[in-house]
Amino acid sequence: SQQGEEDPQALSIQEGENATMNCSYKTSINNLQWYRQNSGRGLVHLILIRSNEREKHSGRLRVTLDTSKKSSSLLITASRAADTASYFCARTSYDKVIFGPGTSLSVIP
Amino acid sequence: DTEVTQTPKHLVMGMTNKKSLKCEQHMGHRAMYWYKQKAKKPPELMFVYSYEKLSINESVPSRFSPECPNSSLLNLHLHALQPEDSALYLCASSHNTMASGAFTDTQYFGPGTRLTVL
């Protein structure tokens, strides 16, 4: 599909563990963004990585981008119960923004 | 102020009703967006306004009518909706400078309006 894929669809980990989510896409991009959504609420922007960048960090978040493989990953280190949410990648080009299907993360205290 | 506000938070309407969703931002952003999100699905883009002009309509049925009265406000007028239109409607905004383009900026989302059509 045009959305591409995110995996895993659902992830359950213990507090303190690291969580890795992956995002693949099919068309060329200007940048790729990751968003978090708590249940039934608006999306919160986490991090943006441009197509000419390979890695970015923000606090406990690390995002990588491999344009040759058309994939990105989001790593959350030392997870907390408050990190429980759905995580979406959004592929953006000049005239399109497409959200992936998302990963539902549960962090167990 | 880095907030996008949406009213109402919840809306229940019948199929013959006319209602409106409102969105407001005071960040000086010149691009504003409406998304529809069904449960456990990603947001789907409906409309984009750039400098108060409709720039993208993603083939949305005419029972949804967007309006951008000024650079801070975005409305979505609803008329003769169907039960399958029940969803979370999200508004977002971004800088949309001419140099960066409409979709390359960070989007700031409102909390959404939970719409139920009976």
Side-chain angles (χ1 to χ4, degrees), chain A residues 3 30-31 33 35 37 40-43 45 48 50 88 92-97 99-101, chain B residues 35 37 40-43 45 56 58 88 90 100-107 109-111 114:
Chain A
Q3 286 183 344
N30 282 359
N31 64 48
Q33 303 181 40
Y35 289 84
Q37 184 177 34
R41 300 182 64 86
L43 280 75
H45 182 260
L48 178 154
R50 301 198 184 282
F88 295 95
T92 58
S93 58
Y94 185 79
D95 62 350
K96 282 197 183 307
V97 56
F99 282 83
Chain B
Y35 288 86
Q37 186 180 26
K40 299 189 186 302
K41 297 290 187 182
L45 185 66
I56 292 179
E58 292 284 357
L88 181 67
L90 295 162
S100 62
F103 291 107
T104 58
D105 292 328
T106 296
Q107 294 186 37
F109 282 81
R114 175 73 61 190

Side-chain angles (χ1 to χ4, degrees), chain A residues 47 55-64 73-76:
Chain A
I47 201 163
E55 187 170 315
K56 283 191 85 167
H57 296 255
S58 176
R60 294 184 295 113
L61 306 180
R62 173 176 167 254
V63 168
T64 61
S73 67
L74 169 67
L75 169 67
I76 304 174

Side-chain angles (χ1 to χ4, degrees), chain B residues 52-64:
Chain B
E52 294 98 71
K53 288 186 168 46
L54 183 65
S55 61
I56 292 179
N57 175 343
E58 292 284 357
S59 303
V60 179
S62 60
R63 57 186 184 268
F64 296 91

Side-chain angles (χ1 to χ4, degrees), chain A residues 13-104:
Chain A
I13 59 174
Q14 294 290 131
E15 203 166 29
E17 293 180 338
N18 295 343
T20 299
M21 289 159 267
N22 302 297
C23 168
S24 64
Y25 57 93
K26 298 185 178 180
T27 58
S28 62
I29 60 171
N30 282 359
N31 64 48
L32 188 142
Q33 303 181 40
W34 285 90
Y35 289 84
R36 184 187 75 226
Q37 184 177 34
N38 290 85
S39 180
R41 300 182 64 86
L43 280 75
V44 174
H45 182 260
L46 296 176
I47 201 163
L48 178 154
I49 186 165
R50 301 198 184 282
S51 59
N52 60 355
E53 296 175 315
R54 292 297 167 259
E55 187 170 315
K56 283 191 85 167
H57 296 255
S58 176
R60 294 184 295 113
L61 306 180
R62 173 176 167 254
V63 168
T64 61
L65 179 64
D66 186 336
T67 52
S68 66
K69 295 181 180 177
K70 290 188 167 58
S71 68
S72 174
S73 67
L74 169 67
L75 169 67
I76 304 174
T77 60
S79 64
R80 305 166 182 168
D83 295 328
T84 294
S86 292
Y87 292 82
F88 295 95
C89 68
R91 281 81 76 180
T92 58
S93 58
Y94 185 79
D95 62 350
K96 282 197 183 307
V97 56
I98 300 172
F99 282 83
T103 294
S104 176

